[in-house]
Amino acid sequence: MEKEIGQQGEKSVDFEKVAASQEFQQLLKAKKRFLIPLTIFFLVFYFMLPVLTSYTTILNTPAIGSITWTWVYAFAQFIMTWVLCILYVKKAGTFDHMAKQIIENHEEEGEQGL
Amino acid sequence: MSVTALILFVLIVGMTLVITYWAAKRTKTASEFYTAGGGLTGWQNGLAIAGDYLSAASFLGIAGAIALSGFDGFFYSIGYLVAYLVVLYIVAEPLRNLGKYTIADMINARFDQKKVRGVAALSTLTIVIFYMIAQLVGAGALIQLLLGIDYWVAVLLVGVMMTTYVIFGGMTATSWVQITKAVLLMLGTVIISFLVLLKFNFNVFTMFDEMKTLTPLGEDYLNPGVKYKNPIDTISMMAALVLGTAGLPHILMRFFTVKDAKTARSSVVTATWVVGIFYILTIFLGFGAAAFVGSEEIISANAAGNMAAPLLAKALGGDFLMSFVSAVAFATILAVVAGLVLSGASAFAHDIYGQIIKKGKMTEKQQMLAARYASIGVAVLSIILALFAQKMNVAFLVSLAFCVAASANLPVIIFTIYWKKFNTAGAMAGMLTGLITALVLVAISPSVLNPEPGAAILVGNPIFPLTNPAIVSIPAGFLAAYIGTVVSSKRDEKKYAEVAVKANTGVK
């Protein structure tokens, strides 16, 4: 696999070496720290709506005028989706930067090795 | 059919054919055929994803569901939108970094085994066929209503159009038809929503106030529980919606049409904005139809409520707006089925024929030929099935597609990217269990078995109580993938190192 890429005239990367490197582990950790809590959050927030509407009627009380909390909660899901989208894109910029650094470092090492 | 409607139909269809002609000249290699050469920009692909997603089921189905059952109809809008977070957070970027044309490619980046590819292709084909029959049956019924032509003529018309886009223009044509249709659909939806708001003096609170008295449901119209009365079934359906999207082959395939993970990300973001705004507007479509068309008239046109949006357009903007909306709905169906044909064809021509039978040893020309034959095959098969499936409940076919996607594809996609110990046995067990559980549970569910003659496909008592089996079949898929992995002692951590590095950095 690595050889094939080398033959195409591209720089080769030793995947195992990268995977074991501290910077790569840091990237994975940073991603996990961001992705896992937020994924749990949005799934819980999402499923809370059908759970609440199916088992209780507490959301049926009016919030603003005739608009009940059910609708407010439903709109909140839209806001949540957009906000988490924006947050992710911002954060992903950092991940991109870290990934680029890792690849650059290891490509250099790879060349020296040859 | 009015002359205006005819002119608008011909205009829109003509536009898609011009796109196909232009795209055909740029489709010479397999990569161009399957993925438009990976050359779409973020916003182009974002609009195309939105186009793929906003099927006739979304536009006509949700508008009708909200019109007839109020808040319960809006559940779909929420589920379909939040699903994009699953796609963005978990699937989109690793998929772009690992795959080439299909989901099987991506799973095979880790397990280079024919049987894994075969099963992945099988689940893709299952999803595509069910989804496609649903779209074609829906399309046939809809066009029959809109244009007053026979069901079989309508299905053939759609079938011939979609095959034309795909075999001549490949992904480039499909994407641009998708983009054009997404823009037209948004335009139509915004115009109708504007007209609905105008009727309520641009006051959302007045609208909610008045909706309490405008429907036969009274105040209940604004509360959940009109349509979904079984809590577990509701939650199960919501699970299929939110987790199914990230396993739908025709949506996932769209991530291979961009050059890198960053563009894949920006396309999901564009899609999320477009789709989100659209789903907010479904409230106006639904409320408007309930208020200005009335549930009686909606039901008499189509019991499932599918005609709510076109009828609303007629009530607010006369024949012209209705013709426009109908023509856009037609374009919507065409674009979605074209995307489905393409993803089905890729599983067949690229995975099964190219990689398994020919072991990847094919010339560019052979690959193109295989892709085109497979497209025709998938199209013909779906058309034949759709002709026999006229009386089938469309919603059940779609729920089945989402369910299989969430149960068979998603667990394996997630474990392939994120779980070091995951192995071939786990992948096989996960995909097969998810696929079979979903299929079997649906086959014995109230959607298929109903004691009342005519209410479902077969007469009889349902053995499985839920209409949507996701709440059982998704955990089953994950569990089987886990057990399969633990039971088998095979590990390949070297390969995982490669997959993890590629998935997270985008290095080739």
Side-chain angles (χ1 to χ4, degrees), chain B residues 65 69-76 221 223-229:
Chain B
S69 32
F71 184 83
D72 274 2
F74 196 52
F75 268 132
Y76 285 105
Y221 182 77
N223 288 330
V226 171
K227 191 174 177 191
Y228 301 112
K229 299 189 193 299

Side-chain angles (χ1 to χ4, degrees), chain B residues 53-319:
Chain B
Y53 210 55
L54 302 175
S55 63
S58 281
F59 179 55
L60 302 167
I62 296 179
I66 296 178
L68 295 180
S69 32
F71 184 83
D72 274 2
F74 196 52
F75 268 132
Y76 285 105
S77 297
I78 301 165
Y80 284 138
L81 179 70
V82 177
Y84 273 94
L85 284 176
V86 181
V87 176
L88 180 65
Y89 273 54
I90 304 175
V91 177
E93 293 179 45
L95 187 74
R96 166 62 272 187
N97 284 337
L98 293 173
K100 195 178 172 198
Y101 303 145
T102 62
I103 309 175
D105 279 342
M106 178 252 181
I107 299 170
N108 263 61
R110 194 165 164 190
F111 312 110
D112 200 8
Q113 295 220 8
K114 282 184 190 171
K115 53 184 181 190
V116 179
R117 189 182 282 278
V119 175
L122 179 72
S123 88
T124 294
L125 282 170
T126 311
I127 297 165
V128 165
I129 296 286
F130 281 121
Y131 213 105
M132 178 94 96
I133 300 171
Q135 295 288 333
L136 285 176
V137 171
L142 182 86
I143 293 162
Q144 191 180 6
L145 277 168
L146 295 175
L147 303 183
I149 51 177
D150 281 347
Y151 174 82
W152 68 272
V153 181
V155 168
L156 279 182
L157 189 67
V158 174
V160 169
M161 291 298 300
M162 76 188 182
T163 317
T164 311
Y165 298 150
V166 173
I167 60 168
F168 293 110
M171 186 54 110
T172 309
T174 306
S175 300
W176 282 99
V177 169
Q178 212 59 282
I179 292 168
T180 311
K181 156 254 160 142
V183 172
L184 287 172
L185 185 61
M186 283 305 280
L187 185 70
T189 311
V190 168
I191 292 172
I192 299 176
S193 304
F194 178 83
L195 292 173
V196 169
L197 267 172
L198 185 72
K199 291 260 189 182
F200 290 109
N201 298 319
F202 292 98
N203 188 334
V204 180
F205 299 107
T206 320
M207 180 174 79
F208 272 82
D209 280 337
E210 291 191 19
M211 288 317 292
K212 279 181 170 176
T213 54
L214 286 173
T215 72
L217 291 165
E219 287 196 24
D220 284 342
Y221 182 77
L222 292 176
N223 288 330
V226 171
K227 191 174 177 191
Y228 301 112
K229 299 189 193 299
N230 177 344
I232 303 289
D233 219 354
T234 311
I235 295 165
S236 188
M237 179 196 80
M238 294 297 273
L241 296 185
V242 81
L243 299 174
T245 306
L248 287 178
H250 66 296
I251 299 286
L252 296 180
M253 194 180 187
R254 295 232 58 93
F255 293 111
F256 303 126
T257 65
V258 293
K259 67 177 194 301
D260 55 18
K262 210 175 163 183
T263 325
R265 180 192 312 150
S266 73
S267 51
V268 187
V269 174
T270 308
T272 309
W273 282 104
V274 175
V275 167
I277 293 168
F278 175 84
Y279 285 133
I280 288 275
L281 296 179
T282 55
I283 298 175
F284 301 112
L285 297 182
F287 281 16
F292 309 121
V293 180
S295 48
E296 238 173 82
E297 203 182 324
I298 297 172
I299 293 172
S300 73
N302 171 273
N306 285 333
M307 289 300 284
L311 288 174
L312 174 64
K314 189 174 188 178
L316 296 173
D319 269 339

Side-chain angles (χ1 to χ4, degrees), chain A residues 18 25 33 35 52 70 73 87-88 97 104-105 109 113:
Chain A
V18 178
Q25 290 303 323
R33 252 202 319 269
L35 292 178
L52 285 175
T70 315
Y73 199 131
L87 272 183
Y88 178 81
H97 188 72
E104 275 172 10
N105 289 345
E109 279 172 33

Side-chain angles (χ1 to χ4, degrees), chain B residues 436-483:
Chain B
I436 294 166
T437 315
L439 289 178
V440 169
L441 290 183
V442 167
I444 56 170
S445 77
S447 311
V448 175
L449 292 167
N450 195 309
E452 218 174 294
I457 302 166
L458 300 170
V459 180
N461 281 317
I463 302 161
F464 182 71
L466 304 176
T467 45
N468 195 314
I471 205 164
V472 177
S473 61
I474 298 172
F478 275 101
L479 197 66
Y482 174 78
I483 293 173

Side-chain angles (χ1 to χ4, degrees), chain A residues 75-93:
Chain A
F75 294 133
Q77 304 249 14
F78 281 74
I79 306 292
M80 171 194 76
T81 305
W82 287 324
V83 168
L84 288 188
C85 236
I86 296 167
L87 272 183
Y88 178 81
V89 171
K90 281 211 170 129
K91 197 72 188 178

